Amino acid sequence: MFIITKNLSASNIIYKDTTKKWKCKTAGEQSASVVLQLDQPYVINGIDIGNENSGYVEVLVSRASTPEDFKVLLVMSSFMSPLDARQTQNVNKVRMFKNQDLCEPERSEKWDRVKIVCTQPFNRHVQYGLSFKRASLRSMALSMGAKYKADWDNSCTHTCAFANTPKFNQVRGKIVKKKWLDDCYNERKKLPWRRYALDK
């Protein structure tokens, strides 16, 4: 994944490291946006967004063949109440949008450009933006070539689960922590799974 932006700090938003932020250049800007160019077209069926003082966030998608023909994937969504914005409280809210939260037919089609638009109409005295934007676990796995199954069977090789849950007790194969997928996705390669193992 590559970043198309004049602000190099925008690369921070593709990693879930909340010590690094992407913000508008100056406080009070009407809106702030960044365009992510993906390495190939993907179906985007879930998005996790970490806020940084933004009142609203909208996600649009397009294709390299028609780069400015953006379609709405996620409608403008609230991340702060007017009161929280004015008092600069709850500035790092995280929202996880599932497939059913995204627009149809865009959620079923492949895209290779993602535009994120942030606004903060309630407080003109803060720089705002995002702390991170991530695909869902399922989207991350699929984008790296994995095959997804809702239920475990003998064809499965790995699963992400929490300890002492029905899925954890059912699985007989490799059970890994969510961080394994996060790190594989961030480094764009398959990492050894053993140090991420969730042993029974």
Side-chain angles (χ1 to χ4, degrees):
M1 182 180 291
F2 301 93
I3 305 298
I4 302 177
T5 178
K6 294 181 180 179
N7 182 352
L8 296 181
S9 67
S11 60
N12 294 336
I13 67 173
I14 63 172
Y15 303 108
K16 194 171 182 179
D17 180 354
T18 54
T19 65
K20 299 178 179 180
K21 318 287 185 181
W22 167 71
K23 301 179 184 180
C24 59
K25 189 173 182 179
T26 57
E29 289 187 26
Q30 184 173 357
S31 67
S33 64
V34 62
V35 177
L36 309 179
Q37 176 67 55
L38 310 184
D39 57 355
Q40 66 183 60
Y42 295 103
V43 174
I44 303 172
N45 53 30
I47 306 172
D48 297 346
I49 297 176
N51 190 29
E52 176 60 25
N53 259 315
S54 292
Y56 297 100
V57 177
E58 182 181 28
V59 180
L60 305 99
V61 287
S62 71
R63 300 182 178 93
S65 57
T66 54
E68 298 307 315
D69 185 20
F70 284 101
K71 309 293 184 185
V72 176
L73 178 67
L74 175 68
V75 298
M76 186 178 290
S77 301
S78 175
F79 276 75
M80 296 182 75
S81 69
L83 181 61
D84 281 347
R86 287 192 290 269
Q87 297 181 349
T88 60
Q89 295 177 342
N90 301 317
V91 301
N92 296 127
K93 182 177 183 178
V94 175
R95 293 192 64 182
M96 293 171 281
F97 299 94
K98 299 179 181 179
N99 184 262
Q100 60 265 32
D101 300 319
L102 307 180
C103 296
E104 186 65 56
E106 288 74 20
R107 68 187 183 193
S108 303
E109 299 178 9
K110 290 186 176 182
W111 309 94
D112 58 11
R113 287 167 63 88
V114 179
K115 182 176 183 178
I116 305 167
V117 182
C118 302
T119 57
Q120 178 47 276
F122 309 120
N123 187 336
R124 300 295 184 183
H125 306 290
V126 296
Q127 289 176 272
Y128 61 89
L130 299 177
S131 57
F132 70 87
K133 173 264 177 192
R134 296 294 301 273
S136 67
L137 283 180
R138 180 179 176 182
S139 294
M140 286 192 288
L142 292 174
S143 74
M144 293 184 287
K147 297 185 184 300
Y148 171 81
K149 288 195 172 183
D151 297 306
W152 176 269
D153 64 28
N154 291 334
S155 69
C156 299
T157 59
H158 299 73
T159 190
C160 285
F162 294 101
N164 302 316
T165 61
K167 181 179 284 189
F168 177 83
N169 294 325
Q170 173 193 4
V171 170
R172 294 290 178 264
K174 300 170 183 174
I175 307 176
V176 293
K177 300 173 184 175
K178 174 182 176 291
K179 192 175 188 320
W180 180 64
L181 265 181
D182 285 336
D183 289 352
C184 290
Y185 187 81
N186 285 339
E187 297 189 29
R188 296 297 187 270
K189 64 181 181 181
K190 185 178 179 181
L191 299 172
W193 71 277
R194 173 48 68 183
R195 67 175 180 267
Y196 300 93
L198 192 62
D199 293 323
K200 293 186 178 181

